[in-house]
Structures are given as structure tokens and as C-alpha cells.
Amino acid sequence: MKTNLNCLECGKQLTDGISEFSIDVYGYPLCLKHQAYINGSAAAQHAIDLYFALKSKKIPVVLEYWDGRKHVDIAIPGKLYIEVNGVHHYQSIQALIDLKQSVCDLKENISTIFVPDYLLDHPAMFRLTVEELVMACRSLTSPVSSFPNMVLSVN
């Protein structure tokens, strides 16, 4: 007996054929609209894989987020940017551009995490990278615990 799956992006219930095709091709259940979105995306495969891994952990990330200046590979808008860096990011000029953009983001209280793509090449390293990013994302999205008002007495 088959179980109907829902689209990882929008929650729409999928037919068996669409869910099977999506899982075979993308590794995740996606409706036709979101399959087309991924196909039309300019995101690198490493970024797409990381994006879906974070989405499957219920992290509210956006793929190819436009922040008004640049596209970010993966983002929790207003809180965190995750950039998946290939070897071209280690060339001097690109590394300096990345550094300047990170400083700009910090001025807006947005952290940037750079993930070298080689961490995503091997299943064990991929899992560990996802675990670390999930912890970072949850720390940024969980409400700050509030402490009861305390009265301090100074004698």
C-alpha cells in the first residue's frame, strides 16, 4: 500500500506518480510547480541538496534569496545567509568580494555562513554539515527565553 506524500515546499498532496518521479529525480517529494521552480533555478546542485536537507528538518529557508543587492544561495531572510562556495570562491578577488559582502551583512545583523562545496560531496560529511547548520538555524529562529522580572536589592 502506497502512502500519499506532500510537497516539501507547499504541502500539496501528491499523486503516487508525481511523488515517485520527484523522489527519483530530486530526492524529495515536490509538486509539479516546485519541480519546475527547481529546474528553472540557477542554484548549484550542492546548494539545492543542502536547501532540501534543511527544509526536511523544518528549517524555514529560501533558495536563491534576493536581498536587494545580491542573490544568496540559501537564507533565513533577515537572520542568516548560507553560501555554498565552490573553488572559484577561493581565488583572491572573489574571496575579497565575499568578505566585503559578509561585512555589509553583519552591519545589518545578518550572519553569513560559508560552506565549502567539498563538505557536501560525501554522505557522512553532508550529514554532519546539515546537523551543524540546523543547530545554527534553530538558535536564530527560536524565541529567546524570557526571564521573569527580577528585583535586585542593593543594601
Side-chain angles (χ1 to χ4, degrees):
M1 180 172 175
K2 295 188 179 188
T3 314
N4 287 338
L5 297 176
N6 295 340
C7 176
L8 185 60
E9 285 292 309
C10 65
K12 177 181 175 184
Q13 191 168 20
L14 306 175
T15 66
D16 289 338
I18 290 174
S19 63
E20 286 175 18
F21 175 82
S22 179
I23 290 170
D24 286 346
V25 173
Y26 302 100
Y28 298 94
L30 298 171
C31 67
L32 292 175
K33 172 184 169 188
H34 287 105
Q35 288 178 37
Y37 170 71
I38 295 303
N39 283 338
S41 158
Q45 190 60 51
H46 282 105
I48 293 169
D49 293 340
L50 184 56
Y51 166 75
F52 281 129
L54 293 171
K55 284 292 271 193
S56 69
K57 301 285 188 185
K58 307 288 189 237
I59 304 298
V61 289
V62 176
L63 182 66
E64 290 191 309
Y65 177 71
W66 175 253
D67 76 350
R69 294 184 327 244
K70 66 186 181 313
H71 279 98
V72 178
D73 289 332
I74 302 167
I76 297 176
K79 296 184 183 216
L80 177 67
Y81 294 158
I82 300 170
E83 292 284 4
V84 179
N85 287 349
V87 292
H88 71 280
H89 286 273
Y90 304 111
Q91 297 169 357
S92 298
I93 237 12
Q94 186 62 50
L96 183 59
I97 290 168
D98 291 345
L99 176 63
K100 286 183 174 203
Q101 288 177 342
S102 294
V103 170
C104 254
D105 298 337
L106 279 174
K107 289 178 185 176
E108 297 175 22
N109 292 321
I110 301 170
S111 299
T112 301
I113 296 175
F114 293 96
V115 178
D117 62 358
Y118 60 81
L119 285 179
L120 307 175
D121 285 335
H122 305 288
M125 292 303 288
F126 184 89
R127 277 192 306 279
L128 291 170
T129 301
V130 169
E131 287 174 17
E132 291 298 319
L133 290 172
V134 165
M135 285 191 294
C137 292
R138 287 193 175 137
S139 72
L140 290 171
T141 58
S142 64
V144 178
S145 60
S146 56
F147 295 97
N149 291 336
M150 298 173 72
V151 177
L152 297 176
S153 173
V154 180
N155 293 333

